[in-house]
Amino acid sequence: MERFEIQQPAELLLPEAPDPWAYLRRFTTARIAIGRSGGSQRTSSLLDFRLSHARARDAVMTDFDVAELDDLLKNAALETIHLASAAQDRRDYLLRPDHGRTLAESSRELLSSHVGAALPDLVPIVSDGLSAVAAVRHAAAVLVPLLASLKASGWHISPVMIVPFARVKLQDEIGAALGARFTLMLLGERPGLGAPDSLGAYFTHSPGPDKSDADRNCVSNIRKEGLEPALAARKIEWLLKESAHSGLSGVELKDSEPTSRLPDT
Amino acid sequence: MPYSITLGRSSHHFETLGRLMACATPLRSGDVLAGVAAASAEERVAAQFLLAEVPLEDFLNHPLIPYEDDEVTRLILDSHDASTFRSISDLSVGEFRNWLLDYETTGETIAAIRAGLTPEMVAAVSKIMGNQDLVLVASKIRVVTAFRSTIGLPGCLSVRLQPNHPTDDIHGIAASTLDGLLYGCGDAVIGINPATDSVPAMDRLLHLMDDLIRKYEIPTQSCVLAHVTTALRCIEMGSPVDLVFQSITGTEAANKTFGINLGILAEARAAALSLDRGTVGKQVMYFETGQGSCLSADANHGLDQQTCEARAYAVARAFDPLLVNTVVGFIGPEYLYDGKQIIRAGLEDHFCGKMLGLPMGCDVCYTNHAEADQDDMDTLLTLLGVAGCNFIMGVPGSDDIMLGYQSSSFHDSHYLRQVLGLKPAPEFAEWLEKMRITGQGRLLPVEPKNPLLAHGKI
């Protein structure tokens, strides 16, 4: 899977009682020069760390506010369909990745009732994944401009599928059921300490059970301090159109995409 | 070969030795995910009763993965020394545990029978051992290796300095490296996980570290944790490669998904040895492992994840490594659910590696979706220190901004050295004093004119 990321800018926030080399903090967001008491961490850096971890944990455990996301999408005149994966709850989702990769039986039936005469060019899917906060905060901000632009280019877009507790591969089942040319899944990424609300976008050309991660493209680190949602929308649109044009996706698309390389800083 | 036991009114039946091993394994989410875990707590203990009675010889006679199907099995059986094994061949798994705990059994005694041990025997005995047994027996064993520093001596604890950066930014990596050195860390290796696995990226990072190590005459070694084939190409083009890194696992099929086999590892080791860059030793390989990698690659052959992990150590020991690191909590909660499972796995891996003669270190770590926190890591860190772990990671403030997980901090190594009276590798300890970074075992206040800081002002 090819990944596209943007590095967050280094902030020069100084810890209390830093080490004399604190000026090096402008080169990295790593927790360097944080000072010490004896050989141990000072109270302030210990608590800073705990706060970051608490936010990341809360991001993982927060319930997916499906209604809020639904409102954001409907306000932009986007239709939605609510589906469920086979995962029973968050614990089951974390322990059984296979459940997050499959649709619940009831959702299969619901989906089959939506198969229409015109097969969609793109099926957009949103899930909380490992950060519901990311999905609620950024998914609409990516989808609204992206889908408007694709529609203007003549793409036939299905309603947005909202699926709690999904893994990336679930898009293959949904896409195959609807005969989609592309699926695009936006879901909350595993929260890092500095980034509890990072959204990832994964798209697949000709989705189906035989597809693997190597067949997908990923645009990651979508959040205000990382790759801004509006920029992410443009990037995804460019990649989707490139993929539609070349018929390639995943690792193969990488080599034909000049901006895919990380900036050489 | 089926195994059966009746405990009170209930009887338990296990169809194969592999099944018995899996059911005897202390509960962990990865074995449940694989569908190989015991169905109940009682079934688990029943399996342990039966496993305790299995003669060690059975592991030679009934390979868990057939000899014909798997090159790791062939490596294990072809390198097994039958004459050494004779002295313990009449022991069962349970008797072997008793033998290991005996006052008379020392690190030297264990080393003397080591060539007769297979990973499966070691994994089996670990399954019936408690955490304290894993600590006690491991603490008897010292495995000492060397390149520019000597790692694993009694009373020593070394640190891998891990200065990762999300875009491999040279200045960002240099800043974290200086931070670690000024905190007295880096005697095991300065090891960077690159964001981009490519020859030019690796070459650039290698030169950064080589310049630093030579300029300040730091008695340590560098490593870029790129794929072994990337390292080989760097060696061919003349890059300053100290150690060759590779992630390895315990089955041929899983190693294949990592793009490696035993042949390519041998080729890489020979290439690194040909550079002859070590001063006090010639061990040039750095391996990383971790429970769950075989299942993750869909190549576990129905075995439990801890048995697969022990088999990875057979791969490691064939290449005389400087460092072996079990990255225990990185894989996530579907394999090791919480702090309890991570702690247990860390102790098992350290024990099994040491039993097989490996210079074991541990990445004491967790991800944000695991049920674990710093307190769990403090516990595992302390237990591993008592068990005599060769090295741990050193990450600025525990927060790896590239890999997005939490590992041990530079500060953590000072905690462990203080409470257990441990020292860095002797060559590195001497350098730290010369550089006025430490004195009498303590960190000194760093003067602004410290030469390392002068380097930071690039």
Side-chain angles (χ1 to χ4, degrees):
Chain A
M1 182 163 31
E2 180 58 8
R3 302 180 77 87
F4 304 89
E5 291 191 41
I6 272 189
Q7 183 212 348
Q8 71 178 72
E11 290 171 40
L12 197 63
L13 292 174
L14 286 186
E16 172 211 83
D19 293 302
W21 55 94
Y23 56 87
L24 293 176
R25 286 168 70 94
R26 70 191 153 98
F27 295 120
T28 178
T29 54
R31 292 169 195 251
I32 64 168
I34 57 179
R36 59 190 173 84
S37 178
S40 301
Q41 290 202 38
R42 299 184 62 82
T43 302
S44 56
S45 61
L46 183 77
L47 292 179
D48 278 349
F49 179 95
R50 272 197 204 144
L51 178 62
S52 299
H53 184 241
R55 285 180 174 157
R57 286 298 292 161
D58 285 346
V60 172
M61 302 315 287
T62 300
D63 286 334
F64 189 13
D65 193 340
V66 173
E68 187 179 342
L69 177 64
D70 201 68
D71 284 347
L72 289 168
L73 294 171
K74 288 209 169 106
N75 287 344
L78 291 172
E79 276 182 70
T80 59
I81 295 175
H82 293 249
L83 301 173
S85 77
Q88 301 297 310
D89 52 31
R90 184 157 310 278
R91 186 183 155 86
D92 187 44
Y93 174 69
L94 290 174
L95 286 170
R96 296 294 302 264
D98 50 329
H99 290 176
R101 294 184 194 119
T102 330
L103 278 178
E105 192 55 44
S106 57
S107 289
R108 271 186 207 149
E109 289 160 21
L110 177 66
L111 206 55
S112 61
S113 71
H114 280 85
V115 178
L119 299 180
D121 291 313
L122 178 71
V123 177
I125 306 160
V126 183
S127 179
D128 49 352
L130 290 169
S131 172
V133 187
V136 173
R137 271 190 205 160
H138 310 310
V142 174
L143 286 181
V144 172
L146 172 68
L147 301 187
S149 186
L150 287 173
K151 279 177 191 164
S153 305
W155 284 47
H156 174 51
I157 314 267
S158 78
V160 179
M161 310 292 156
I162 300 180
V163 203
F165 302 137
R167 302 260 172 187
V168 171
K169 190 169 172 53
L170 187 68
Q171 65 184 295
D172 288 329
E173 185 177 353
I174 296 174
L178 295 175
R181 192 161 158 229
F182 282 98
T183 45
L184 167 70
M185 182 179 264
L186 303 181
L187 82 177
E189 295 180 331
R190 191 179 86 191
L193 279 196
D197 65 338
S198 186
L199 188 75
Y202 302 81
F203 72 78
T204 313
H205 186 262
S206 312
D210 57 320
K211 297 293 172 182
S212 75
D213 282 352
D215 302 307
R216 304 186 216 287
N217 293 84
C218 168
V219 176
S220 70
N221 198 22
I222 303 171
R223 60 198 175 99
K224 256 176 83 177
E225 301 80 8
L227 180 61
E228 287 203 39
L231 285 174
R234 268 191 276 167
K235 176 131 221 160
I236 295 165
E237 182 189 353
W238 192 91
L239 286 166
L240 279 171
K241 286 181 172 169
E242 189 70 10
S243 181
H245 176 72
S246 65
L248 302 172
S249 71
V251 180
E252 292 177 316
L253 182 64
K254 168 183 82 168
D255 293 331
S256 61
E257 213 279 86
T259 60
S260 70
R261 303 223 165 77
L262 291 163
D264 194 9
T265 46
Chain B
M1 188 167 56
Y3 301 82
S4 294
I5 190 172
T6 302
L7 296 170
R9 266 181 290 178
S10 48
S11 53
H12 300 275
H13 184 78
F14 306 91
E15 211 43 57
T16 62
L17 185 54
R19 184 88 197 103
L20 183 67
M21 291 275 275
C23 287
T25 308
L27 176 66
R28 63 207 59 197
S29 49
D31 290 342
V32 177
L33 180 64
V36 301
S40 67
E42 181 178 307
E43 188 183 51
R44 179 166 298 110
V45 181
Q48 291 175 354
F49 267 100
L50 284 167
L51 184 59
E53 288 172 10
V54 171
L56 292 181
E57 212 154 22
D58 277 15
F59 292 98
L60 298 173
N61 299 332
H62 306 282
L64 301 182
I65 302 175
Y67 185 91
E68 300 72 29
D69 296 351
D70 185 282
E71 68 169 359
V72 178
T73 301
R74 292 196 287 278
L75 172 70
I76 292 166
L77 294 179
D78 292 350
S79 60
H80 183 257
D81 183 346
S83 62
T84 307
F85 179 67
R86 221 162 285 139
S87 62
I88 51 165
S89 61
D90 60 336
L91 298 183
S92 67
V93 172
E95 290 164 343
F96 186 43
R97 174 182 171 276
N98 291 336
W99 182 83
L100 289 169
L101 294 167
D102 194 290
Y103 286 131
E104 304 308 320
T105 302
T106 64
E108 289 72 34
T109 334
I110 294 168
I113 55 116
R114 186 169 283 145
L117 294 177
T118 66
E120 290 84 353
M121 294 174 195
V122 173
V125 74
S126 79
K127 291 176 193 300
I128 60 166
M129 292 168 90
N131 282 6
Q132 66 166 272
D133 302 339
L134 298 171
V135 171
L136 175 59
V137 177
S139 77
K140 298 183 179 192
I141 307 168
R142 300 308 314 191
V143 179
V144 181
T145 57
F147 189 79
R148 283 189 206 104
S149 56
T150 307
I151 300 154
L153 290 166
C156 290
L157 170 77
S158 294
V159 181
R160 167 192 164 191
L161 204 172
Q162 183 170 313
N164 296 341
H165 188 276
T167 58
D168 295 338
D169 179 88
I170 289 285
H171 295 104
I173 286 172
S176 290
T177 305
L178 291 175
D179 192 59
L181 291 171
L182 290 164
Y183 269 94
C185 295
D187 53 335
V189 62
I190 303 174
I192 305 168
N193 298 88
T196 308
D197 191 320
S198 75
V199 173
M202 180 168 178
D203 178 65
R204 204 172 46 139
L205 296 174
L206 286 169
H207 278 287
L208 169 79
M209 291 187 289
D210 186 50
D211 290 349
L212 188 72
I213 287 171
R214 283 195 300 165
K215 182 168 177 187
Y216 295 99
E217 299 175 324
I218 310 173
T220 191
Q221 34 284 333
S222 75
C223 187
V224 175
L225 283 71
H227 195 262
V228 63
T229 52
T230 312
L232 262 173
R233 276 157 62 201
C234 279
I235 292 173
E236 281 162 18
M237 65 179 259
S239 309
V241 174
D242 289 343
L243 307 183
V244 170
F245 165 81
Q246 184 55 47
S247 288
I248 56 169
T249 177
T251 69
E252 179 181 345
N255 280 328
K256 196 175 168 199
T257 70
F258 286 9
I260 58 157
N261 54 45
L262 300 176
I264 191 90
L265 293 176
E267 189 187 335
R269 175 165 179 264
L273 279 173
S274 75
L275 300 182
D276 194 24
R277 292 171 59 84
T279 51
V280 295
K282 304 285 177 219
Q283 277 138 327
V284 294
M285 300 302 283
Y286 174 13
F287 292 121
E288 285 191 351
T289 66
Q291 292 189 25
S293 54
C294 283
L295 178 62
S296 174
D298 204 15
N300 64 326
H301 296 264
L303 301 184
D304 65 88
Q305 65 188 32
Q306 193 255 337
T307 299
C308 289
E309 172 72 5
R311 287 170 55 95
Y313 303 152
V315 175
R317 76 170 169 177
F319 301 101
D320 189 24
L322 181 77
L323 306 162
V324 178
N325 176 23
T326 170
V327 190
V328 66
F330 186 72
I331 194 160
E334 62 269 42
Y335 296 92
L336 293 168
Y337 184 66
D338 56 14
K340 181 181 169 71
Q341 293 185 5
I342 293 172
I343 289 166
R344 169 82 200 179
L347 294 178
E348 288 166 349
D349 294 353
H350 179 255
F351 164 81
C352 290
K354 284 281 172 74
M355 284 292 292
L356 293 167
L358 294 179
M360 287 306 289
C362 182
D363 191 341
V364 176
C365 65
Y366 63 107
T367 59
N368 286 321
H369 59 322
E371 282 291 332
D373 62 18
Q374 289 301 108
D375 289 342
D376 296 310
M377 297 304 108
D378 287 351
T379 304
L380 178 55
L381 184 69
T382 309
L383 291 169
L384 285 169
V386 177
C389 186
N390 283 28
F391 67 102
I392 57 171
M393 306 306 109
V395 175
S398 285
D399 175 6
D400 189 309
I401 57 170
M402 198 294 261
L403 296 171
Y405 78 124
Q406 286 85 251
S407 181
S408 46
S409 66
F410 303 135
H411 298 74
D412 285 337
S413 66
H414 291 284
Y415 150 72
L416 210 49
R417 285 172 182 165
Q418 276 185 79
V419 290
L420 297 173
L422 302 172
K423 295 183 174 64
E427 303 86 355
F428 197 80
E430 197 179 307
W431 178 82
L432 288 173
E433 301 225 345
K434 189 183 88 187
M435 295 296 286
R436 303 201 149 274
I437 293 168
T438 61
Q440 280 150 4
R442 294 180 174 191
L443 286 168
L444 297 173
V446 172
E447 304 289 332
K449 62 176 190 297
N450 187 296
L452 273 176
L453 283 184
H455 184 81
K457 283 183 176 143
I458 34 172

